[in-house]
Amino acid sequence: MSTEPKTTIRVSFVTRDKIAKLAEQEGKSMTAVIDDAIREQERKVRWQKVAEQIERTKQEDPEGWAEYLAEQELWLGGPSPMRRTAPEWEGLIIPSEDGSADHAG
């Protein structure tokens, strides 16, 4: 048992039942399911901010973005023949035909 202080939050019965079902399916406590959901949402928000910053840089400083891509190519040895995107960037960055990266959406 955790020694952390606890509190009660109000959720609908439907939400409570969904959390309980997920907890049972995953063999976790309801608190662990909620903690996981919060971490996932924080991750999504963080990567969305990164994608927005990339887009802003591309719009506001296209020369700087081009320099970044050229430097990246030097460091990485050019575009991958498989054009594989790192898992954390999937859906945010889509390789274009020329090997540069475009923001999804």
Side-chain angles (χ1 to χ4, degrees):
M1 290 301 280
S2 173
T3 59
E4 287 185 39
K6 299 194 185 305
T7 189
T8 300
I9 61 171
R10 293 180 185 268
V11 297
S12 69
F13 292 122
V14 171
T15 298
R16 182 210 53 205
D17 292 347
K18 288 179 181 180
I19 296 167
K21 183 177 179 180
L22 285 169
E24 183 179 336
Q25 289 173 343
E26 297 179 18
K28 298 178 179 179
S29 69
M30 290 173 68
T31 299
V33 169
I34 294 169
D35 289 343
D36 289 349
I38 291 168
R39 272 191 298 280
E40 178 62 19
Q41 183 63 25
E42 288 172 336
R43 186 193 70 76
K44 284 174 54 177
V45 167
R46 183 173 52 252
W47 284 110
Q48 181 60 39
K49 286 180 182 179
V50 168
E52 289 167 2
Q53 291 169 342
I54 289 170
E55 188 61 31
R56 188 169 45 251
T57 299
K58 289 169 61 176
Q59 297 298 317
E60 295 175 3
D61 186 10
E63 287 180 23
W65 180 250
E67 288 174 12
Y68 166 77
L69 292 176
E71 183 176 341
Q72 179 185 41
E73 189 169 323
L74 285 174
W75 278 97
L76 299 177
S80 166
M82 295 174 51
R83 292 193 175 155
R84 187 170 186 301
T85 302
E88 63 270 16
W89 288 92
E90 287 181 10
L92 297 175
I93 304 298
I94 300 171
S96 62
E97 292 303 314
D98 66 2
S100 64
D102 287 329
H103 173 271

